Structure formats: structure tokens, C-alpha cells
């Protein structure tokens, strides 16, 4: 199916472990984004990518790593998970036009 | 810097009531404005948008008008339904930038 998918949808991990959240889009959109959503903070941008092999930091990048070797994939890695990274993570994509399209989200719990 | 401010929730209404959720913005350029809706357990979905002053976006009975003079983009619906219960986000972006600025969201609860 066309669209933007995220996996896993739910993840529980322990402090210090590495975790990778996957994002895949079928539209060949040039821009892709990772946000985290926390109560009281709304959506905060972690990283974004303007094209394959081009990534840049957003508002809250510390503790996260991204890569974009293919246009359709934009994985987000937590190198050493901390409790403060417990959140709901959303991937989004867009063409050069301005509308963003969001994935269904990954709920991550760090114990 | 650029920002989006929307009214705090939760907003609780009875079915068929009139809805207004206020949104104001500050921007150095000429932004496009959006309303997104997030149903429980789901990602954000575009509800409507407007790209220039005096444009009216509309969808599913919701409307919002881009008011440059008051820097506002208030969301309205004449008669809400229980199925409209969700969190609503106002957002802006300026053409040529990657940045998308969201408000903090307003939770709407509609009671039967």
C-alpha cells in the first residue's frame, strides 16, 4: 500500500540499549522528518532530511542518530536509550510542496 | 522567531454545538497555514490548509480563514459530532524552508 509506515508500532526497551525505529514511504518524497510527541511539548523536530544522504539536526537531536541511504527509508537510532526518550515518535514526509504526511507513530518506553 | 499559539484545552462540547479553536501565528515571511487532526492512537492527518491571506480552507465541515491582519487561522465547525473528538494542531511553514512549526495541540471532546 502507498503511504508512510513506521515499525515497530510499540517498543519497550531498557536504559542503555540501542534501538532503531524504522520509517518507510512509498511516494518518493524528498523531505523526511522525525518528531517526538510529549505531553506539554507538542511535536518537536529531532532530525530531518532534504534528500538521500542529506540530513540535519532539528530542535532536539541529542541522543539520536539518523541515516538516509535510500530516498524511501529514514531510520532513527537511539544509541543508548534513556528514560527521557520515552515518547511517541512520528515520521513524516513531504514533497517540495508544503503539506506534510505523517506515519502512525511508534510508542517507545524506556525502562 | 516564528511561532504558533493555539488555545489550551481540553475543549468539551455537546454534540451539535458550535466549535471554535483559536490559532494565532507570528512569522517573518508569508507562511502557509494548516490544521492537522490526531485521532487516538494515530498519526496526524491534514484537515485543511490555506496558502495566502484571505484564503479559506475547508474539509469535513471544518473551516478556517487565513487572516493576515490579525495573524490568525481559527478553526470552526458549525455542528460537532462525537467522532470529531481528537487533538487538533495548528501549524505553519514558509515556502523554501524545511521548518514546520506546530502549536501545542487542543484536545476536543464531544459528548453525546
Amino acid at each position: 500500500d502507498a503511504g508512510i509506515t513506521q515499525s515497530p508500532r510499540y517498543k519497550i526497551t531498557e536504559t542503555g540499549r540501542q534501538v532503531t525505529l524504522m520509517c518507510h514511504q512509498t511516494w518518493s518524497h524528498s523531505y523526511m522528518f522525525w518528531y517526538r510527541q510529549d505531553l506539554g511539548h507538542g511535536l518537536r523536530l529531532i532530525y530531518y532530511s532534504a534528500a538521500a544522504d542529506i540530513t540535519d539536526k532539528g530542535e532536539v537531536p541529542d541522543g539520536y542518530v539518523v541515516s538516509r541511504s535510500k530516498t524511501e527509508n529514514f531510520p532513527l537510532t537511539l544509541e543508548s536509550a534513556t528514560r527521557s526518550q520515552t515518547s511517541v515518535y512520528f515520521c513524516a514526509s513531504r514533497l517540495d510542496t508544503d503539506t506534510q504526511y505523517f506515519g502512525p507513530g511508534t510508542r517507545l518506553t524506556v525502562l | 522567531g516564528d511561532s504558533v499559539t493555539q488555545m489550551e484545552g481540553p475543549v468539551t462540547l455537546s454534540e451539535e454545538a458550535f466549535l471554535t479553536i483559536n490559532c494565532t501565528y507570528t512569522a517573518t515571511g508569508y507562511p502557509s497555514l494548516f490544521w492537522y487532526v490526531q485521532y487516538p492512537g494515530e498519526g496526524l492527518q491534514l484537515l485543511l490548509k490555506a496558502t495566502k491571506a484571505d484564503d479559506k480552507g475547508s474539509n469535513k465541515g471544518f473551516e478556517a480563514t487565513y487572516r493576515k491582519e490579525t495573524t490568525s487561522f481559527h478553526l470552526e465547525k458549525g455542528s460537532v459530532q462525537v467522532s470529531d473528538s481528537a487533538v487538533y494542531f495548528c501549524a505553519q511553514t514558509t515556502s523554501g524552508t524545511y521548518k514546520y512549526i506546530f502549536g501545542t495541540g487542543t484536545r476536543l471532546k464531544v459528548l453525546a
Side-chain angles (χ1 to χ4, degrees):
Chain A
D1 288 344
I4 184 164
T5 57
Q6 294 183 236
S7 61
R9 293 294 313 279
Y10 302 91
K11 177 73 178 178
I12 300 174
T13 191
E14 294 178 339
T15 301
R17 292 197 180 243
Q18 184 179 79
V19 176
T20 296
L21 309 183
M22 304 302 293
C23 178
H24 176 79
Q25 53 107 352
T26 60
W27 295 303
S28 298
H29 286 175
S30 49
Y31 282 93
M32 295 188 76
F33 305 83
W34 274 107
Y35 295 90
R36 58 178 291 173
Q37 184 178 34
D38 304 288
L39 275 176
H41 291 280
L43 285 162
R44 291 183 289 176
L45 182 65
I46 305 170
Y47 269 95
Y48 72 99
S49 169
D53 297 322
I54 301 175
T55 63
D56 208 346
K57 296 177 182 179
E59 187 183 350
V60 289
D62 293 343
Y64 303 94
V65 174
V66 294
S67 62
R68 193 159 177 216
S69 57
K70 293 184 179 180
T71 300
E72 61 266 30
N73 296 325
F74 191 39
L76 176 75
T77 297
L78 289 67
E79 294 186 299
S80 178
T82 65
R83 290 201 178 104
S84 65
Q85 292 177 310
T86 292
S87 186
V88 181
Y89 291 86
F90 289 100
C91 180
S93 71
R94 75 183 218 201
L95 280 170
D96 292 336
T97 56
D98 46 21
T99 301
Q100 281 200 10
Y101 297 90
F102 285 81
T106 295
R107 184 175 294 274
L108 175 68
T109 301
V110 182
L111 301 175
Chain B
D2 295 356
S3 66
V4 172
T5 303
Q6 58 182 109
M7 62 189 288
E8 289 199 22
V11 174
T12 304
L13 296 173
S14 297
E15 207 165 24
E16 299 184 5
F18 185 86
L19 169 70
T20 300
I21 300 177
N22 291 336
C23 172
T24 58
Y25 68 92
T26 60
T28 51
Y30 299 96
S32 295
L33 302 174
F34 306 82
W35 278 101
Y36 280 82
V37 58
Q38 184 181 30
Y39 298 104
E42 298 183 12
L44 280 70
Q45 304 173 25
L46 178 66
L47 182 58
L48 53 85
K49 73 177 190 181
T51 58
K52 62 183 187 297
D54 300 324
D55 271 1
K56 179 186 280 188
S58 61
N59 187 25
K60 299 182 182 178
F62 291 89
E63 292 184 341
T65 301
Y66 189 144
R67 302 280 188 205
K68 189 179 174 186
E69 63 276 12
T70 54
T71 62
S72 65
F73 193 55
H74 304 322
L75 182 68
E76 296 182 335
K77 187 175 185 182
S79 176
V80 293
Q81 305 300 311
V82 172
S83 57
D84 294 326
S85 297
V87 180
Y88 292 81
F89 291 89
C90 186
Q92 65 159 305
T93 190
T94 302
S95 181
T97 73
Y98 73 89
K99 208 167 185 181
Y100 225 79
I101 299 171
F102 289 90
T104 52
T106 302
R107 183 174 298 279
L108 170 66
K109 187 172 182 181
V110 180
L111 304 176

